[in-house]
Amino acid sequence: MKHTADQMLIIFGASGDLTARKLVPALFNLFKGRHAPKNFVVLGASRSNLTDEDFRKKVIFESGYLENERNDNGVEFMKEFADKIFYEDLGSNYDTDYAGLKSRIEDLNTAHNTKHNFIFYLSTPPNLYEIISKNLSDQGLTIEKKGWKRLIVEKPFGYNLETAKKLNNALHEYFRESQIYRIDHYLGKETVQNLLVTRFANSIFEPLWNRNYIHHVEITNAERVGVEKRGGYYDKSGALRDMFQNHLLQIISLVVMEPPIGDNAEEIRNEKVKALKSLRIMRDEETLFSHTIRGQYLAAEIDGEEVKGYREEEGVDPESTTETYAAIKFFVDNWRWADVPFYVRTAKRMPTKVTEVVIHFKSSHHHIFKDSGINNKDNKLIIRIQPDEGVLIKFGVKVPGQGFKVERANLDFYYSSLAETRLMTAYERLLLDAMQGDATLYARADEVEAAWEFVDPILEYWKNGSNVITYGYSAGMWGPSNADDLIGGYYMWRNPGEQLADDPGFCVLS
Ligand code: BG6
């Protein structure tokens, strides 16, 4: 097990929702699982006027996100955890003198012997990243003379390539790249990491992982929910920025990348950047028109319940054309993937919540069993990222009886069948990695920029293109009805069900 040094985690934007919903529960689990170091302090900092006790009440003792933990672990244990949590009011503005914050950090460091090792976690709007970094630097809080200093930033990382570059340059004024951890919570998911293991720890898949055997690759990321209370943010972002530029391109890079030399952060990230740079950037309107589909959900009744259309959601412009559905077809220009199409879609208000990667293998070269209908029963490898996490292989078997009728059978593995079934949540895993100085599952500056480089022309086309269409789709459906045209031939999207082994077309609407 890797060593976790004594340290302090300073969370900016600590009175916001992410801290209570994700960060504190993750820290609690790390504490309970004895992953936190002996000397460990969490200091929340933000603009709300709270005392340590108020903050503890908010994020621990009265937090709805820790209700089960309070019931399961008892008050004493919760208090033990709460004793590690503190709060500092920054006043009305993040752009202020951090002398007060510095002296609070120094006092806590001395009292709890956190060895001058500090992580600054910026859970604030991105437009504050630069100013917070500068103010920390002005107080000498970024200097690594006595202990290490790390910076974690949340997404979105930039709004396009230009702003992402600007932000990278700005952060590099105050922190070295090796101190910066850009969080992408999808990389914290066990099943996303398992993509690497499936590919590079099995000799049966890697020889087939190329244009000679793979017909196409399909990735679906669907959510049942709409934009919820985030209409204001989402309307300026859209599905492409919100999910595709970061989470899905991360998954894509793991599917596309070449084998790294080893498992250290730089080796893996070098290969991921190379993979992202090999995606063919679409620039002409004709390609962008035929290779991208965007849609927006419309009001509908789901399970007897009226569901609002996107334009009726709070914070959304009633004439908005922002996409809640994005489907992209693209190619990868390298030796391994030449001519293999990739189809990737992400959307809100789908029939179910599911994320999966489907590797569609080519048909056998010569069809012996002519009447078997084998054509549309090609082998598939399905890597289920969520829910019902697992891996499924679809292959042909003979139907008992005369002749050679072929049917498709499933060979499946479920994470839930492992003895050790408690998977760390993404935030637990990522926080622990940053606490241990392991950046493998964090995005590097050049990775983020390469992702924007691919996405920028699509965004630009969707904004200013002459022939752009936004299709409507009823909430609770699998997107616009013409979405299958993107794939073409006798293939269609595999509309997955809630269970890994559900066949297309079947979906649980509970
Ligand atoms: C976030 C997006 O990054 O990921 C949200 O901003 C989205 O819009 C969420 O709902 C999905 O994450 P998960 O882990 O539930 O698939």
Side-chain angles (χ1 to χ4, degrees), residues 227 234 238-239 294-298 310 321-326 346-350 470 473:
V227 290
Y234 195 90
R294 68 171 185 171
Q296 197 182 74
Y297 63 82
L298 306 171
Y310 175 68
T321 53
T322 299
E323 77 286 356
T324 60
Y325 175 102
T346 175
K348 296 209 182 270
R349 282 279 181 231
M350 297 273 102
T470 305
Y473 62 95

Side-chain angles (χ1 to χ4, degrees), residues 181-198:
Y181 292 68
R182 294 173 195 78
I183 218 162
D184 185 305
H185 81 275
Y186 266 58
L187 285 176
K189 294 182 192 269
E190 278 293 333
T191 42
V192 172
Q193 295 155 37
N194 190 45
L195 271 166
L196 282 175
V197 175
T198 304

Side-chain angles (χ1 to χ4, degrees), residues 59-124:
V59 298
I60 302 173
F61 297 114
E62 290 173 6
S63 163
Y65 301 111
L66 282 185
E67 201 176 324
N68 293 341
E69 284 72 8
R70 284 197 302 272
N71 294 338
D72 295 349
N73 297 286
V75 182
E76 279 316 305
F77 191 74
M78 297 310 282
K79 270 195 186 145
E80 219 181 291
F81 172 62
D83 284 348
K84 308 214 167 278
I85 314 272
F86 300 85
Y87 183 81
E88 177 73 13
D89 178 7
L90 291 175
S92 59
N93 199 336
Y94 280 99
D95 189 9
T96 179
D97 182 346
Y98 286 1
L101 177 67
K102 182 184 183 185
S103 75
R104 185 76 197 278
I105 291 175
E106 279 175 351
D107 290 350
L108 287 168
N109 177 64
T110 310
H112 298 268
N113 195 15
T114 51
K115 315 264 171 52
H116 300 274
N117 293 326
F118 306 145
I119 300 185
F120 302 103
Y121 192 121
L122 308 193
S123 171
T124 63

Side-chain angles (χ1 to χ4, degrees), residues 18-313:
L18 185 80
T19 305
R21 187 163 49 91
K22 295 282 185 197
L23 302 183
V24 174
L27 290 166
F28 176 78
N29 284 335
L30 291 177
F31 175 73
K32 190 176 170 190
R34 298 178 192 278
H35 296 293
K38 184 163 157 273
N39 299 326
F40 184 52
V41 164
V42 177
L43 175 63
S46 66
R47 291 170 304 179
S48 304
N49 180 11
L50 302 172
T51 62
D52 289 344
E53 279 318 311
D54 296 336
F55 186 57
R56 289 172 186 165
K57 254 193 214 163
K58 178 177 159 61
V59 298
I60 302 173
F61 297 114
E62 290 173 6
S63 163
Y65 301 111
L66 282 185
E67 201 176 324
N68 293 341
E69 284 72 8
R70 284 197 302 272
N71 294 338
D72 295 349
N73 297 286
V75 182
E76 279 316 305
F77 191 74
M78 297 310 282
K79 270 195 186 145
E80 219 181 291
F81 172 62
D83 284 348
K84 308 214 167 278
I85 314 272
F86 300 85
Y87 183 81
E88 177 73 13
D89 178 7
L90 291 175
S92 59
N93 199 336
Y94 280 99
D95 189 9
T96 179
D97 182 346
Y98 286 1
L101 177 67
K102 182 184 183 185
S103 75
R104 185 76 197 278
I105 291 175
E106 279 175 351
D107 290 350
L108 287 168
N109 177 64
T110 310
H112 298 268
N113 195 15
T114 51
K115 315 264 171 52
H116 300 274
N117 293 326
F118 306 145
I119 300 185
F120 302 103
Y121 192 121
L122 308 193
S123 171
T124 63
N127 58 356
L128 295 173
Y129 293 171
E130 182 177 354
I131 201 68
I132 294 174
S133 304
K134 178 184 181 303
N135 290 330
L136 288 171
S137 161
D138 286 351
Q139 294 297 329
L141 284 164
T142 57
I143 298 170
E144 293 198 298
K145 228 176 182 170
K146 280 193 190 150
W148 46 252
K149 309 290 178 291
R150 295 175 190 148
L151 179 77
I152 303 183
V153 291
E154 271 290 336
K155 65 160 263 225
F157 197 86
Y159 190 71
N160 52 24
L161 178 60
E162 191 193 338
T163 49
K165 276 187 174 163
K166 263 198 193 145
L167 187 52
N168 275 331
N169 291 340
L171 294 185
H172 287 152
E173 295 257 313
Y174 311 108
F175 292 91
R176 280 174 290 108
E177 177 60 25
S178 59
Q179 293 176 281
I180 303 173
Y181 292 68
R182 294 173 195 78
I183 218 162
D184 185 305
H185 81 275
Y186 266 58
L187 285 176
K189 294 182 192 269
E190 278 293 333
T191 42
V192 172
Q193 295 155 37
N194 190 45
L195 271 166
L196 282 175
V197 175
T198 304
R199 285 195 56 192
F200 302 127
N202 291 299
S203 56
I204 55 171
F205 297 124
E206 192 51 24
L208 307 181
W209 210 267
N210 58 55
R211 66 187 307 271
N212 296 327
Y213 297 96
I214 294 177
H215 184 272
H216 68 276
V217 176
E218 175 185 347
I219 300 177
T220 291
N221 168 269
E223 290 184 90
R224 242 175 106 89
V225 293
V227 290
E228 300 181 288
K229 292 188 184 134
R230 298 159 72 226
Y233 147 78
Y234 195 90
D235 206 31
K236 292 192 193 66
S237 165
L240 209 64
R241 285 193 178 90
D242 186 51
M243 291 297 300
F244 185 88
Q245 185 276 337
N246 36 70
H247 307 322
L248 289 173
L249 280 174
Q250 284 293 339
I251 294 176
I252 291 164
S253 68
L254 295 172
V255 173
V256 167
M257 69 190 265
E258 292 300 311
I261 302 167
D263 69 355
N264 84 34
E266 293 324 311
E267 281 156 2
I268 291 179
R269 298 197 297 181
N270 286 344
E271 291 303 337
K272 283 171 64 196
V273 173
K274 215 168 94 195
L276 290 170
K277 286 191 169 166
S278 60
L279 306 190
R280 187 185 303 164
I281 297 175
M282 295 178 272
R283 298 203 187 274
D284 62 287
E285 283 212 347
E286 205 183 315
T287 311
L288 286 159
F289 177 76
S290 58
H291 286 45
T292 68
I293 295 187
R294 68 171 185 171
Q296 197 182 74
Y297 63 82
L298 306 171
E301 195 181 294
I302 304 178
D303 289 346
E305 197 189 306
E306 293 292 332
V307 168
K308 276 187 193 167
Y310 175 68
R311 291 181 184 181
E312 285 100 59
E313 300 275 16

